[in-house]
Amino acid sequence: MRKPPREVVITVVAVEAVAAAFAFRDLARRSDEQVRGPKLLWRVLIGLNPGNSLAYWAFGRRAV
């Protein structure tokens, strides 16, 4: 099995880090009423796996 090119790996890691940073920033700026579920839970999930930031964007935010 071939390894992915180094540039691809670096790009994917960078995109995940940026997505997690934006999710953390959005989570910090929203009130508790604007977030589905406990904010602490979302912080832990995003911190454990940056891919979970996509779940936050899709399911964790309430419409304003």
Side-chain angles (χ1 to χ4, degrees):
M1 193 158 98
R2 292 177 42 189
K3 291 183 181 178
R6 182 179 177 138
E7 295 82 12
V8 172
V9 173
I10 291 172
T11 302
V12 169
V13 169
V15 168
E16 285 187 359
V18 169
F22 279 124
F24 278 127
R25 186 182 78 179
D26 184 78
L27 188 59
R29 292 182 177 182
R30 288 186 176 267
S31 67
D32 290 343
E33 294 80 28
Q34 293 176 317
V35 177
R36 288 189 177 111
K39 289 172 87 172
L40 178 61
L41 174 65
W42 284 111
R43 285 185 190 105
V44 170
L45 290 175
I46 294 167
L48 287 176
N49 180 1
N52 288 338
S53 62
L54 298 176
Y56 169 73
W57 291 109
F59 306 111
R61 302 173 353 139
R62 293 186 193 271
V64 179

